[in-house]
Each structure stands twice: as C-alpha cells, then as structure tokens.
Amino acid sequence: MKIKSLFLGLTFSVSLYAADKYSNPVIDYSLPDPSIIKGEDGYFYLYATEDIRNLPIHRSKDLVNWEFVGTAFTDATRPDFEPEGGIWAPDINKIGNKYVLYYSMSVWGGEWTCGIGCAVADRPEGPFKDCGMMFRSNGIKVQNSIDPFYIEEDGRKYLFWGSFRGIYAIELSKDGLTVKAGATPVQIAGTAYEGTYIHKRGDYYYMFASIGSCCEGLKSTYTTVVGRSKQLMGPYVDKKGDLMLDNHHEVLIHKNESFVGTGHNSEIVTDEAGNDWVLYHAVSVKNPEGRVLMLDRVSWKDGWPVVTGNAPSVSAEKPNFKTKK
C-alpha cells in the first residue's frame, strides 16, 4: 500500500554511528514494505515499494549502513499489466539458481484489477526480467490481491498474499513462476491483515502481518502483529488459542513518541551471535515525509517473538556481523 515517490533525486544513503550502536531510522527516506536476502557476495540486498520509481534496491553488510545500488526495473522493462499502477511490496527469494522477485501491481483503490507478478535475475542487484502477471484479483476471485510472500515446505512452493480482504495461500509450479495447474486459493487469516511474512522456528510457523492504516502520515495506525501454528497452512492462533482467521493476534511493534505506523516487516535475519533482527517501515515524528526504514532486534520468550517495549528503538546495540575487507 503505497504513496507517490518523494525522493527521486536521492542516489544513496550511508548511516554512520558509534562503533557498537545504531540509530533508527537506518535509512531516513521512504522505503516502504522491505524484503531482504543475502547474496553470495556477502551483502544483504533490500527491496522496497517504489516510492523510488522502478523499485529500489539497496545493499548492506551489517543491516545498518546501506547504499543504493539501482532499481529492479527501468521505464522500459517495468511490469505493465496494470499500466497506471505502482509496483508495491516486493518479496525476494532464491529459487534454484535464479533470484525471483514477486511484486504487487495496483492503482490506489483498484482492489479488483490489482494483481501479483514475478521477475527473475541472475544476481540480486539485477537486472530483473519481468515474467508478467501470475494472477489478478478479478481472475483468482480474491479481492485486493497484493503483498505476496513466498515459502517452500517439503519441496513444494507456496505463495501467500492478501490485504484486508483475507490472507490466502496457493501452491505454485515447480519453478515458482506460475500457479500450479488446478490449485485454488485457501484462506489462512482474516480481514484485519496485510503484509504477511511467515518464519519457521522450532516446532512453529509464525505469521507476521500488519493491521491498521499504512499511509496517513502521522495519523497512520499501522501495527506489526503475529500468530503461530504448528502447520504452514494453519490454524494460526494468539496466546489464548484464538484464531487469526477471526482476527486474533499478538502485538509485536506499535507506535511510540518517536515513530508511528510501524509495519510491513521483512524477513528475519540472524546475525553471527545468533541474534534475530527485523526490518520494517515507520513514519518518523521528527520527519514525517514518507515511511522510513527501521531495524530492531527480535528476542524469543516462551515461544513467542518479542521486541523490547513492543515499540521501535531510537538507539540500540548493532547486529554482530564481521566486516570483510
């Protein structure tokens, strides 16, 4: 769910802080709906909704200091199945020897014409070749078909997606580029959610999602929530055992006096000390233009993820990554 580009003139951002500390935001311009993957070159590559046109790519070795490396597409190569649409909420994955980028394409309010496509590249920085639309809301009969998330289990490939009209899942083809022949959508969670990400840890699958409004500046109510299940396809529940299908969940990150609209988290990254970290976006109270990139540590307590204070940090200890020369 996105707003128009505000930062077309920016070329890169590098954050410099004390040796053992970092400050939020780690990138102080609009990079909504982040998705991250580690490349073979040792860099983490981050992709975000195209508030920077054609879908920006940044890279970092420590999750704190980032540089802009380009865009996934150009005006000539960008997807066009929704000609006036924006490219929203990417999800990056390595499938076989290819980097596969799932994306949403929509105009604001186009809940029956939006859809999900994919693109492939040999390297995480691209260039990406668009494979076109996988499905559209009015074809697959799921309203507001945006916010894709890919996951594999037992050699089978699945796509989860949805935005405030239910979270759904469907099986994909062996190469992950199309819907498996004969597959039909299955509803996994209720109508409170969008921006799904599923993380497997121990015996549980954890479904992270966002509730509330993403894009109203300082009035945004976006909040990161979570439920868990022992099966990929659910049922996902809160601590009381109530169903995410009925819109029950636990709150992971909510607003504080420095940041509001805290949502749409990335994949969880584990550092070399075994600590887990998550990127997400928020609106800065000091600089409320766009949705800036945030980083916080995720701890685990009694089988549930926890962020200190259930709110964004302003300054915290850095992730533990050795810097290679």
Side-chain angles (χ1 to χ4, degrees), residues 4-19:
K4 67 181 180 180
S5 173
L6 299 173
F7 301 98
L8 294 176
L10 289 173
T11 56
F12 69 95
S13 174
V14 177
S15 303
L16 298 174
Y17 304 115

Side-chain angles (χ1 to χ4, degrees), residues 16-203:
L16 298 174
Y17 304 115
D20 61 343
K21 296 283 186 177
Y22 75 94
S23 297
N24 269 319
V26 289
I27 297 182
D28 196 15
Y29 54 82
S30 196
L31 289 173
D33 313 328
S35 178
I36 191 172
I37 195 169
K38 191 170 187 180
E40 294 179 0
D41 57 3
Y43 281 98
F44 293 100
Y45 286 83
L46 182 136
Y47 307 74
T49 282
E50 65 162 350
D51 280 6
I52 296 172
R53 184 171 170 80
N54 292 322
L55 203 149
I57 305 172
H58 293 68
R59 71 178 185 179
S60 172
K61 287 196 173 179
D62 62 4
L63 303 183
V64 172
N65 298 285
W66 293 90
E67 61 179 345
F68 177 77
V69 296
T71 57
F73 306 106
T74 66
D75 284 347
T77 64
R78 65 181 282 118
D80 62 0
F81 68 81
E82 182 73 348
E84 302 300 321
I87 307 171
W88 300 349
D91 179 60
I92 186 67
N93 302 272
K94 184 81 177 290
I95 303 178
N97 62 353
K98 297 287 187 182
Y99 290 90
V100 179
L101 184 70
Y102 298 95
Y103 61 84
S104 321
M105 198 166 199
S106 184
V107 296
W108 192 265
E111 295 193 3
W112 285 111
T113 58
C114 61
I116 291 171
C118 61
V120 298
D122 295 325
R123 303 176 301 167
E125 65 267 40
F128 282 84
K129 179 181 178 182
D130 185 37
C131 299
M133 181 181 70
M134 299 175 70
F135 56 82
R136 202 171 201 147
S137 289
N138 54 14
I140 206 164
K141 307 302 182 186
V142 174
Q143 189 175 355
N144 219 15
S145 285
I146 61 172
D147 292 3
F149 170 72
Y150 170 89
I151 192 169
E152 296 181 15
E153 184 188 52
D154 297 332
R156 300 169 77 175
K157 300 172 173 65
Y158 300 91
L159 196 73
F160 287 68
W161 79 98
S163 174
F164 303 130
R165 301 293 183 265
I167 301 299
Y168 288 81
I170 201 165
E171 189 171 354
L172 301 181
S173 58
K174 290 183 178 181
D175 62 8
L177 302 182
T178 60
V179 172
K180 182 179 179 180
T184 57
V186 177
Q187 187 170 356
I188 305 298
T191 57
Y193 311 111
E194 68 172 9
T196 301
Y197 162 63
I198 297 172
H199 179 72
K200 179 72 186 299
R201 187 178 190 272
D203 293 332

Side-chain angles (χ1 to χ4, degrees), residues 219-241:
K219 296 181 180 179
S220 298
T221 60
Y222 230 28
T223 299
T224 305
V225 301
V226 64
R228 73 180 189 183
S229 173
K230 288 192 173 182
Q231 304 295 328
L232 176 62
M233 294 296 174
Y236 289 86
V237 299
D238 67 6
K239 291 180 180 179
K240 295 179 180 179

